[in-house]
Each structure stands twice: as structure tokens, then as C-alpha cells.
Amino acid sequence: MSSIKSKRIESIDILRGLVMVLMALDHTRDFFHYDAFFSNPTNLETTTPFIFFTRFITHYCAPVFIFLAGTSAFLYGNKKSKSKLFKFLIIRGIWLIILSIVVNNFVWKFDITYSFIILQVIWAIGLCMILLSFAIYLPMRALLLIGIILVAGHNLLDGITAEGTSFISIVWYILHQQQFGIVGNRMFSIAYPIIPWFGLIILGYCFGRLYIKDFNPKRRRMYLMYLGIGAIVLFFLVRGINVYGDLVPWTVQDTPTKTVLSFFKVTKYPPSLSYLLITMGPALLFLCAIENIKNRITDFLLVFGRVPLFYYFLHIILIHILAIIGMLIFGGDWKNMILTSDVFMNAKLLGYGYSLFTVYLVWILVIALLYFPCKKYMIYKANNKDKWWLSYL
């Protein structure tokens, strides 16, 4: 890594790199696991502990990525004026929304007709950045309070639901209700309602103060430890009481194993308080533990953590292409891997897929194939900071 010129905070990039690697596991499962297109890996009636764990471990990806997007925004703007940070967040937010609708929907489906539009995590980050660009003018204490209220209190809105395609309904889908719909022959899905995500990116922005130049490292690690442990303890309290904090309460099942799975089956769409506590708590403890560690593993994770957008699109393209190759080799109509609305509405991929062992093998292959192009781009990006457009890629 000696050829890389970077003043970035390594522990943050290492954590980001770790969740990016885990994210590839979830997306490999999406494309390769048996019946993944039409089954839920957390369905207690059909899942196994190993399948459940494979999905659960990837729950860390979206919240950590969005939280650190707020942290990165703070660190980017720490030595700049608020007006420059405002401009950066506005432009980057709009850019991410465009990428989400145009590029992300294509690489996931290879459908040039865009017959199925999904608004996923990149869309949510983009919209949250636009909102954050206005919020940065508020005092830090006010921001912290707003972030806590949105994250901790948004489950009070769970009982409010909308239907149809009226303007008010669409606004509510964007804010707090995951929604799928069909208009004509085109399918739409708002997968990431933004109220809790916006709260989380605000908390990430406030969290950035722990990483300013003069902040005492020992004090920072103490905060990270207390916050991480506190979040985990609060998760068990909130989830254990079982009256608030998640759209779906856990229930006693017919076996102890299923009961444990029910306890940890937290809601992601939108992310419940319980979901965010059990994901961000361990993430903060990881930041505490990794701060002074440097070895081959951390160097490996740094590569992915420093080029997240480049990696994201590249890994989806690669996984999708490998899925097509798999169908060509092992049978099936590869054209069904062009994921049009017709493929989903007529369940053309019902029964398709491979074992979970195969999923893990493909995941390892994907990470191995992506390492060197990501490393090359990381070095180029780090050594060409004068190129303004690289900050948007």
C-alpha cells in the first residue's frame, strides 16, 4: 500500500470494506440460491439456521453504509464552508438518484425496457444526502436530537398505511412504507422508505465529530465501546419487552431454534429500531477494535472500502453475468436471467437455483475477481485527487 497517497481514516474504510464484501454474499444468494427469486430466507417455515444466518449477517451492509455516508459527509465538509458542503451533497445526491434509476436497475436486470423499476439503497442514500444538505445548517445538538427521534421513534408510524397511487400515497411510500405496485405492464418497488435512513445518516454525520484531527483517540475508542455495548443491550431490552421497536413482534415457536430465529428476525423495510440497534451496535464495536490494527486482512478490506460505488456496480454486473454463464453450463433458458417484469409475473425462474454451498463458492470467486480491478482504481483515485469528478465515483 506504500504507493497510495491517502489521508483517509483507515478504520472507517475497513468497516466499509467489510460490509461491502458481506453485501456481495447477499447479492450472490439473490442470483444463485435455490428459489431465491421467489422465497424469503427469513421465512421461519422454510428457512434453516444457516440460510437465516447468511441473510442476517448481510443486514449490516445497508445501515453501516448509510451511517458512514453521513460520517464521510461531515469529514468532507469539516475543512470546507457549509456552502461548499451543501453543493457537494446536493450534486452527489442527485447523481446517486440518477445512477440508482438508470444504471442500478439495468445492471440488476439487464432489461433495456426498464419494465421493473426498484428504488434501492443507492436511491435512499441520494435522497438522504439531498435532505442532509439542508440539515447541515442546523446546530449539531439539534441534528443529534432529530436523528435520535427519527431512528428511535419512527416505529410509532407503523400503523399508518396507504394504498393506491395518489400523490399522498406515493409520498408515504417514499417516507415510511415499503411498497410494490404494477402500473400497466411495468412493475415498481420502493424498497427503502427513508425516514429511518435519514435519521441514521444524520447520526452518522454527528458521529463524524469523533474523527476530527484533535479528538483524543482513547476517548474516541471509549465512546465507541460504550455506544456499541449500549446499542446491543438496548436491542435485547427492546426486543425482549416485545411491545415496540419492530413491525413484527417475535413469537415462541415449536422449537427453541425457531424461537431464537424469530427473536432475531428484525424488519429491514423500513429498518426498525431493533434492526438498527443490532446492526450498528456491533459495527461501532468493530470500529473500536480495528482502529489500531493493520495487517493483510485490513489492507484487503481497505481496497473495497475506498471504492464503494465502483465496487457496487462492478460486483452486481459480475454476479449477474456469472448467473447467466451458470444457466448456459448447467441448463435452463439464460434469457430468463434478463429480469423483465414478465419473468417475475409469470414466475419463469421458479425452481431455479443452486445449493447454499455453491452460493458461498461463487461469492468467494466474485471477491477474488474484483480485488485487483478495485485495487487499481483505488490507487488511481488516491493519486489523482485533483480530478474533481472522482469524488462522485
Side-chain angles (χ1 to χ4, degrees):
M1 296 280 181
S2 59
S3 62
I4 302 172
K5 305 171 185 175
S6 178
K7 295 181 180 179
R8 294 174 62 103
I9 298 169
E10 290 198 349
S11 59
I12 290 177
D13 285 334
I14 291 167
L15 174 58
R16 186 184 286 113
L18 175 61
V19 298
M20 298 298 281
V21 169
L22 290 175
M23 179 179 63
L25 173 60
D26 193 41
H27 296 159
T28 303
R29 181 194 56 77
D30 284 333
F31 277 93
F32 280 87
H33 192 223
Y34 180 77
D35 237 8
F37 285 99
F38 298 97
S39 65
N40 184 347
T42 62
N43 182 344
L44 300 183
E45 299 302 317
T46 58
T47 193
T48 67
F50 198 22
I51 294 173
F52 186 96
F53 172 79
T54 299
R55 173 57 173 159
F56 182 83
I57 195 66
T58 61
H59 277 337
Y60 290 88
C61 304
V64 168
F65 200 66
I66 290 178
F67 182 83
L68 293 183
T71 303
S72 296
F74 176 88
L75 295 173
Y76 178 87
N78 190 42
K79 296 182 179 179
K80 294 178 174 62
S81 66
K82 285 288 178 68
S83 61
K84 287 184 178 179
L85 178 58
F86 174 87
K87 180 181 178 181
F88 172 79
L89 290 172
I90 282 281
I91 295 174
R92 186 166 177 83
I94 294 172
W95 176 234
L96 288 176
I97 290 174
I98 293 171
L99 287 178
S100 176
I101 296 173
V102 179
V103 179
N104 199 42
N105 274 288
F106 176 75
V107 299
W108 269 92
K109 304 176 192 72
F110 289 175
D111 174 19
I112 61 173
T113 68
Y114 289 87
S115 61
F116 187 7
I117 302 295
I118 305 179
L119 301 179
Q120 298 189 67
V121 64
I122 294 177
W123 174 86
I125 295 174
L127 190 52
C128 286
M129 280 189 168
I130 292 173
L131 296 175
L132 183 62
S133 69
F134 294 94
I136 61 173
Y137 289 99
L138 295 173
M140 188 63 74
R141 289 185 178 181
L143 278 176
L144 182 61
L145 180 61
I146 291 171
I148 292 173
I149 290 173
L150 292 179
V151 168
H154 80 92
N155 283 118
L156 293 171
L157 305 174
D158 288 344
I160 303 174
T161 58
E163 296 180 357
T165 56
S166 68
F167 176 76
I168 297 298
S169 294
I170 292 172
V171 169
W172 187 244
Y173 302 151
I174 293 172
L175 291 176
H176 200 259
Q177 180 181 328
Q178 184 190 30
Q179 186 67 14
F180 168 81
I182 300 176
V183 180
N185 62 349
R186 197 177 301 275
M187 298 164 61
F188 295 89
S189 176
I190 299 175
Y192 280 74
I194 65 163
I195 286 180
W197 295 122
F198 181 49
L200 190 64
I201 203 171
I202 288 176
L203 293 181
Y205 181 83
C206 298
F207 178 76
R209 294 195 66 175
L210 298 183
Y211 287 89
I212 59 177
K213 184 177 180 181
D214 297 329
F215 201 94
N216 186 293
K218 290 184 178 180
R219 189 180 178 194
R220 175 172 57 244
R221 290 194 296 273
M222 180 187 69
Y223 280 143
L224 289 171
M225 182 177 65
Y226 288 159
L227 287 170
I229 293 174
I232 295 171
V233 170
L234 189 56
F235 163 77
F236 282 101
L237 287 175
V238 170
R239 194 64 170 152
I241 294 172
N242 209 26
V243 295
Y244 179 77
D246 200 274
L247 184 63
V248 181
W250 65 276
T251 57
V252 176
Q253 303 291 309
D254 55 0
T255 68
T257 298
K258 281 189 177 181
T259 299
V260 171
L261 296 185
S262 177
F263 187 87
F264 284 97
K265 185 183 177 182
V266 287
T267 302
K268 181 179 180 180
Y269 306 105
S272 67
L273 172 61
S274 294
Y275 175 96
L276 293 175
L277 288 172
I278 197 56
T279 51
M280 290 310 306
L284 294 175
L285 290 181
F286 180 86
L287 277 177
C288 176
I290 203 69
E291 183 160 324
N292 293 322
I293 295 177
K294 186 172 179 61
N295 53 40
R296 290 183 178 181
I297 296 176
T298 60
D299 285 347
F300 178 82
L301 294 174
L302 273 175
V303 169
F304 301 114
R306 286 182 171 169
V307 292
L309 196 59
F310 176 81
Y311 166 89
Y312 179 90
F313 288 122
L314 204 59
H315 95 283
I316 294 296
I317 293 171
L318 178 58
I319 291 170
H320 201 160
I321 290 173
L322 289 175
I324 292 175
I325 293 173
M327 294 190 80
L328 290 171
I329 294 174
F330 298 107
D333 186 355
W334 70 269
K335 293 179 183 178
N336 288 335
M337 202 52 70
I338 309 300
L339 302 174
T340 63
S341 60
D342 176 65
V343 169
F344 288 98
M345 287 192 285
N346 292 298
K348 291 185 176 181
L349 287 171
L350 190 65
Y352 155 83
Y354 310 85
S355 69
L356 197 59
F357 177 74
T358 301
V359 170
Y360 274 82
L361 288 180
V362 175
W363 170 54
I364 293 170
L365 175 64
V366 167
I367 298 302
L369 291 174
L370 290 179
Y371 176 76
F372 289 105
C374 286
K375 183 176 181 180
K376 186 173 182 180
Y377 180 62
M378 176 190 70
I379 295 172
Y380 176 80
K381 188 176 181 180
N383 292 335
N384 290 274
K385 293 184 180 298
D386 57 315
K387 294 179 171 59
W388 64 269
W389 52 270
L390 284 174
S391 62
Y392 294 95
L393 297 174

